[in-house]
Each structure stands twice: as structure tokens, then as C-alpha cells.
Amino acid sequence: MAFFSSTLFFNLHLFLTIFLSFSGTDPVSGCYNSIFSFGDSLTDTGNWLYINSSSNIGNFPYGETFFHHPTGRSSDGRVVVDFIAQAFGLPFLPPYRACSDGRDLRHGANFAVAGATAIDAASYEEKKIGGVVANISLVDQIEWFKGLLPSLCLSSSGCRKFLRGSLFLVGEIGGNDYAQLFSNGWSLEKIQTFVPQVVSTITSAVDTLIEHGAMTLVVPGGLPLGCFASVLTFGASLNKEDYDNETGCLKRWNELLQYHNDRLQIELDRMRNLHPHVIIIYADYYNSAMRIYRSPLQFGFSKGALSACCGSGGPYNYNSSVLCGTHEARICNDPSLYWNWDGSHPTEGGHRMIADDVISGPYAFPPITCPCLQLASHVKYPHYHTKSQSFRASV
Ligand SMILES: *[C@@H]1O[C@H](CO)[C@@H](O)[C@H](O)[C@H]1NC(C)=O
Ligand SMILES: *[C@@H]1O[C@H](CO)[C@@H](O)[C@H](O)[C@H]1NC(C)=O
Ligand SMILES: *[C@@H]1O[C@H](CO)[C@@H](O)[C@H](O)[C@H]1NC(C)=O
Ligand SMILES: *[C@@H]1O[C@H](CO)[C@@H](O)[C@H](O)[C@H]1NC(C)=O
């Protein structure tokens, strides 16, 4: 959307004052000594497959495009965090749970688990909400991180020094919370009332990381779930009004995620005020993806952005009883022509688009490569607005 982009660039030029504190020849590699990431299947690089070796993501064609074998990524190749690691000259992050083989974690670790929720399983059990996929939450992932720390740095001051040079990716997470509530029969209106709880779980994870010495954090918003083949299939409606006529996405689902993202940005502003010395970057996965959904052909996704590459038929090539990676599912000839990989996740090409948008901008403020530099203390963060009306967040 042209309006959105020009507003953002205006903000960038008006408010972003940077002082170079970095004197290397390559402005990108050397920024960070390590990356620590948290989240769900958009970020997982092998934890869930290690925990559940019979998951469908452990089968061909997962991984076929880049690694040429399944790795536990919910993609045909790399995911956003892989592209971020490459951009900073760091190795691919080892999945934390699969590290019993003594792999070197000094360049960081990935705690994300496919199927993970923000809110912990015990809280859901209390509310009599079942159908937990992974039974692992963001809260658990933060505990794993705390448990790992003593092996990385010996003293509290040593840890702060080490973590000062680390980049933290906290999310995306929350999509599984909403999907789970929906599968428990909650209406979208009722799910909306739960958004603040999901968001505050994310910001308290951010708070804990800052307490332990994190200085640069990237917190992504949620993707437009109403555009996913899986949601378009289980949320199918006979009422044309329920679909966005520009993209074909389900409006109410996208409004839910817009509301989540608005709330998240408001909470991140609060964190920035509390910790002015810490750089907290909001990564706008939502609008990065919406740009593709509005004109997939322009970005090379000639088979469109809605239908899955790997699936088993139906209007969006998605059927929850015949998932990609099971033997009845079929795989498209060329995943690079699709945005959607398996119904619920982007292809490597989709991940790459999002990664580029947050690494170099404009869908992250400041772009992730910037904090290698130092931000002026009066920097003003923009809000990434959405068109949401019915779920307008009050500021
Ligand atoms: C592991 O994955 C398989 C296949 O998706 C599933 O049927 C099974 O319930 C999972 N096990 C656990 C413990 O989650
Ligand atoms: C989730 O895991 C905890 C222990 O880690 C266990 O007590 C609980 O019963 C599990 N819940 C589900 C729904 O599997
Ligand atoms: C799309 O829907 C909006 C209202 O939701 C309407 O104003 C517009 O004319 C529609 N465009 C097309 C091409 O149908
Ligand atoms: C999904 O797959 C199952 C098993 O093959 C089949 O019985 C069902 O009709 C399919 N559903 C749709 C909507 O195609």
C-alpha cells in the first residue's frame, strides 16, 4: 500500500538519528556474537521434530528446496531466523532441544517449537481448554533459556556482557493460541477478549530477557491468519462479505491479528519507556505479508499466495486429514512460485520476503541492521497501522 510506505519513510527520515559506533568495513557481519530465538513453527528449526519424531514435518518434501532433507523446519527450505543469521554472518541456529550432542551454542540457540503457544498449558487446562498441540509455551522456552545461561557465561556480569552482543528474536507467537481457542469452539469475538493476555505474556518474556541483559530485541507481530489455506479451509464461509475482495482473505481473522498487533505495539512502547537504553524493534510480518497477498504476481508468486504448494486438494489445496508430508499429499512442481507451503506456513520464498523486509526495512523499525549502530535517545518509534475498524485498539 503506497500510503503506508510513504508515511513510514517519512517517519524514518524525520526521527531516525544514528551515530556510527561501528568501524568495520562490512556494516552487517560483526554486529552480533549470537542470536537467541523463541516462537512457534515459523521459527522452529528442529525442536518439535526432536520431541516428536513422528511429526509430518519430518518427512519429504519438507526441506527439499534448500537442505534437501527434512530438518524440522515447517518449510521447503530456510525460515526467517535462518536468513537473519546469514545476514549477520552467523551459523544457522541449532535447535536447543536437539543439542544433547554437545553442539556449540556460543553463537546462540533456537528455543522455538512448532505448535507452541504463548500461554502455558497449565493455564489452558485451568480454563478447560484442550487440544494443545505441542504442550510447550513461550514461558517454557524462556525457562530453557535461563537454564542454558550458566553454561554460556559464568558470572552475572559476564552474562550481561555476552548478552549485550546478542540479538533476540521473540516470536512470532500467539497464532497457535488463537487457533486452539477456535478449535475449542470460541467465537472470534470471544477470542478477541483473550488477546491482551497473549500480548502480556509476550511482553513479560521480553521483560525477563531484558532483566538478564538483552539489549537488542526483535518482536514480530502476527501474520494475517485469514489468508492461510488452513484457516480459509476450516473458516470457509458462504457469505461473500466475509472475504476481503482485494485479497480473498477472511476479514474477521485478519482483524483479530490486526488487533493483536496493535496491542503488541502499544505494550512495546510501554517497555521502551521503561527501558530507554534497550532497542526493541517491532517486526511487521503482517504488512510484509499483506503486500504479497495484494499482488502476488508482482513478487513472482505466479501460482498465487493463497493455495498451498503441498497438500491434497480442495479449494486451497489443504485438507487437515491429509497433511503435507503424509504419503497421500501431493507436492507442486515449483515451490518458488507459491507463497504458501503446506497450508499453514510460507514457502522458503515467503520466508525470504519477510526476512528481507525486516532486515533491511521498511517493515521493521529500526531495520535490524541498524541497531548495530547506536540509536539516539530521542528516537521516536512509528506504529505500523492497520485498517482495522471493528477491532480498533484504544490508545
Ligand atoms: C506426534 O505426531 C504425530 C503425528 O502428527 C501425532 O499423531 C502424535 O499425537 C504426536 N505425539 C505427541 C506426543 O504429540
Ligand atoms: C503438559 O506438560 C506438563 C508437564 O510438562 C504435564 O504436567 C501436563 O499434563 C501436560 N499437558 C498436556 C495437555 O499434555
Ligand atoms: C470491495 O469491497 C468494498 C467494500 O468492502 C467496496 O467498496 C468495493 O467497491 C469492492 N470492490 C470490488 C472490486 O468489488
Ligand atoms: C479430506 O481427505 C479425506 C481423506 O482422504 C477425505 O475423506 C475428505 O473428503 C477430504 N476433504 C475434502 C474437503 O476434500
Side-chain angles (χ1 to χ4, degrees):
M1 198 162 75
F3 168 74
F4 164 75
S5 300
S6 58
T7 308
L8 182 61
F9 280 119
F10 174 73
N11 282 328
L12 278 169
H13 288 131
L14 193 59
F15 299 118
L16 177 62
T17 316
I18 21 189
F19 298 117
L20 269 172
S21 66
F22 177 76
S23 57
T25 46
D26 179 350
V28 174
S29 84
C31 276
Y32 304 107
N33 58 31
S34 54
I35 300 176
F36 293 96
S37 57
F38 306 83
D40 59 22
S41 52
L42 285 173
T43 311
D44 187 0
T45 56
N47 287 315
W48 176 238
L49 185 58
Y50 183 80
I51 294 165
N52 184 351
S53 59
S54 55
S55 167
N56 63 308
I57 63 172
N59 302 329
F60 184 83
Y62 282 92
E64 66 158 12
T65 299
F66 185 80
F67 298 98
H68 310 301
H69 63 88
T71 60
R73 287 167 176 80
S74 299
S75 160
D76 56 317
R78 288 161 289 183
V79 296
V80 170
V81 70
D82 294 318
F83 289 110
I84 294 176
Q86 287 187 308
F88 291 112
L90 292 170
F92 291 134
L93 290 192
Y96 172 71
R97 286 303 296 263
C99 283
S100 46
D101 56 358
R103 256 190 288 180
D104 183 0
L105 299 183
R106 280 173 305 176
H107 289 302
N110 188 351
F111 299 93
V113 181
T117 49
I119 289 173
D120 61 287
S123 305
Y124 280 127
E125 266 163 46
E126 251 170 52
K127 290 188 159 59
K128 308 252 180 293
I129 290 161
V132 178
V133 179
N135 191 9
I136 287 160
S137 68
L138 180 58
V139 182
D140 299 314
Q141 294 173 29
I142 296 289
E143 288 303 313
W144 296 345
F145 169 75
K146 292 200 294 202
L148 172 70
L149 263 189
S151 70
L152 293 175
C153 41
L154 293 175
S155 64
S156 159
S157 68
C159 284
R160 302 193 84 78
K161 197 170 166 200
F162 174 71
L163 296 182
R164 186 175 305 158
S166 305
L167 180 69
F168 290 81
L169 180 67
V170 190
E172 168 280 330
I173 194 151
N176 289 322
D177 295 75
Y178 304 135
Q180 185 179 312
L181 293 169
F182 189 78
S183 71
N184 275 267
W186 283 37
S187 67
L188 289 171
E189 287 73 16
K190 190 171 174 200
I191 295 174
Q192 188 210 335
T193 65
F194 202 67
V195 167
Q197 227 173 303
V198 170
V199 166
S200 73
T201 306
I202 298 171
T203 46
S204 60
V206 167
D207 204 38
T208 304
L209 293 171
I210 292 172
E211 247 170 57
H212 282 81
M215 290 290 285
T216 312
L217 303 100
V218 179
V219 186
L223 282 166
L225 289 184
C227 304
F228 278 57
S230 51
V231 176
L232 283 160
T233 302
F234 69 66
S237 166
L238 293 172
N239 186 355
K240 267 184 93 172
E241 300 281 293
D242 290 340
Y243 294 88
D244 173 8
N245 58 13
E246 200 186 353
T247 57
C249 303
L250 281 165
K251 286 194 283 198
R252 295 290 284 159
W253 272 94
N254 280 0
E255 282 160 7
L256 176 70
L257 270 293
Q258 288 166 8
Y259 180 62
H260 169 98
N261 292 341
D262 281 343
R263 291 291 309 205
L264 181 58
Q265 290 182 82
I266 290 165
E267 286 299 300
L268 292 181
D269 263 346
R270 203 173 54 76
M271 305 293 297
R272 288 164 183 146
N273 286 333
L274 287 173
H275 308 284
H277 57 294
V278 175
I279 297 171
I280 302 175
I281 300 168
Y282 174 71
D284 190 11
Y285 285 15
Y286 185 99
N287 282 303
S288 171
M290 278 317 282
R291 195 173 55 127
I292 311 295
Y293 285 118
R294 289 198 185 96
S295 42
L297 303 186
Q298 191 190 321
F299 296 96
F301 298 105
S302 60
K303 299 288 187 181
L306 300 184
S307 279
C309 159
C310 180
S312 57
Y316 302 97
N317 196 26
Y318 178 83
N319 181 335
S320 61
S321 42
V322 189
L323 292 175
C324 179
T326 60
H327 60 270
E328 287 162 80
R330 291 181 302 276
I331 163 83
C332 68
N333 287 332
D334 186 354
S336 74
L337 306 180
Y338 290 75
W339 192 89
N340 192 308
W341 165 241
D342 62 358
S344 304
H345 308 98
T347 53
E348 169 172 288
H351 277 281
R352 181 200 293 277
M353 297 290 307
I354 296 170
D356 286 350
D357 282 347
V358 300
I359 291 167
S360 314
Y363 292 98
F365 184 88
I368 300 182
T369 47
C370 260
C372 202
L373 322 163
Q374 232 170 39
L375 287 179
S377 59
H378 62 273
V379 71
K380 187 168 177 350
Y381 288 87
H383 267 234
Y384 287 83
H385 292 290
T386 61
K387 290 191 292 186
S388 170
Q389 295 302 321
S390 52
F391 286 170
R392 197 74 240 159
S394 53
V395 185

